[in-house]
Amino acid sequence: MSGLFTIAQAEWQLWLRSQLALGTLLIFALLLTSTSVLTALRMSEAHQERTQQQTAAEEYFLSQPDRHPHRMVHYGHYVFRVPPPLSMIDPGVDPVTGQSMFLEGHQQNTAMFADARASAELGGFENLTTALVYQLFLPLLLIAIGHGLVIREREENTLAPLLAQGVTGVQLYAAKGIALAGASLVLLLPLAVMCAVAIGQGAALLASVGVMGLYALYLLVWCSLILLVSSLARSR
């Protein structure tokens, strides 16, 4: 077992000395920080705005004069969907399904006022969220640092000496997998912090843990694919 972590530690040290790995990590960190802050601010603004609109709608509805209940049902009432705490990570379908609904008797209305802004100030990247950064850009980072996990040993003629020292192929693959999986789990720490903040704001514990578990599983699948391709490829 110690031999596995020795090989994994050697990979981590190599990545820390690699300008490519550090450069891609810096880009990922900047992108994650900017999108997280923008998404959190956007959802906080939406939360306050819709809460105020809901309060105003309720006050307007209750300020009506006394009427027959059937007429009140037909008069209708607006309800606004307030973004949940986990929306700071992923707003979900909120931008495209609408934020409010008009309730009235004998009618089934759909949600209205979808957020369809042109996002001109960010060139279309305003809707880039923390979730998309983890789903799209983190796998690219893992590919950049992990594509040479096995093939590099073959190109540098260090694979045969490793095997000659008693390291089996399974142990080598396991050590390389531990190195890449460990790096991916470390990169999940910002997401864990955001989930903890969401729990503090009232998010369900099970939902937050589920988000973390699904993203960890998603990244582990990517790590497995990267390791498989690196072991099958003959050259970079």
Side-chain angles (χ1 to χ4, degrees):
M1 183 63 69
S2 61
L4 297 181
F5 287 101
T6 300
I7 298 175
Q9 184 179 7
E11 286 293 333
W12 294 329
Q13 292 174 349
L14 177 65
W15 291 336
L16 291 176
R17 296 194 301 266
S18 171
Q19 294 183 354
L20 174 63
L22 293 178
T24 52
L25 180 60
L26 178 60
I27 294 174
F28 173 78
L30 293 175
L31 187 61
L32 178 62
T33 301
S34 59
T35 53
S36 299
V37 171
L38 289 175
T39 303
L41 291 176
R42 188 165 67 246
M43 290 299 101
S44 176
E45 179 184 356
H47 187 282
Q48 295 178 1
E49 180 181 355
R50 296 179 196 179
T51 300
Q52 294 173 357
Q53 290 172 340
Q54 184 65 60
T55 302
E58 292 177 357
E59 291 177 352
Y60 184 77
F61 183 82
L62 295 175
S63 65
Q64 300 176 77
D66 293 338
R67 295 178 180 176
H68 191 276
H70 192 77
R71 293 187 61 189
M72 294 293 292
V73 170
H74 280 285
Y75 185 81
H77 179 54
Y78 277 101
V79 291
F80 292 84
R81 180 172 56 191
V82 178
L86 284 175
S87 63
M88 70 172 66
I89 299 173
D90 188 355
V93 296
D94 184 82
V96 295
T97 58
Q99 55 184 264
S100 65
M101 183 178 294
F102 184 65
L103 304 179
E104 59 179 324
H106 312 299
Q107 296 288 337
Q108 187 173 2
N109 300 319
T110 58
M112 301 179 295
F113 305 117
D115 188 5
R117 291 174 294 180
S119 308
E121 64 272 18
L122 290 179
F125 282 94
E126 184 180 3
N127 291 328
L128 186 62
T129 63
T130 304
L132 286 179
V133 172
Y134 273 100
Q135 294 168 12
L136 300 179
F137 294 98
L138 185 51
L140 295 178
L141 171 60
L142 295 178
I143 292 173
I145 66 175
H147 70 281
L149 279 172
V150 179
I151 192 174
R152 185 184 65 253
E153 305 287 354
R154 187 180 296 114
E155 290 178 344
E156 296 178 355
N157 296 322
T158 56
L159 183 58
L162 279 175
L163 298 177
Q165 293 176 7
V167 178
T168 65
V170 174
Q171 291 175 335
L172 179 63
Y173 291 145
K176 300 290 186 176
I178 290 173
L180 191 58
S184 65
L185 293 180
V186 168
L187 294 173
L188 277 177
L189 290 178
L191 184 64
V193 172
M194 297 186 70
C195 286
V197 173
I199 292 174
Q201 295 179 353
L205 177 62
L206 182 60
S208 302
V209 173
V211 168
M212 281 297 303
L214 288 175
Y215 274 97
L217 179 61
Y218 173 74
L219 294 181
L220 290 178
V221 170
W222 270 105
C223 291
S224 301
L225 293 175
I226 294 169
L227 182 61
L228 177 63
V229 173
S230 180
S231 62
L232 295 178
R234 295 300 176 185
S235 61
R236 286 186 283 185

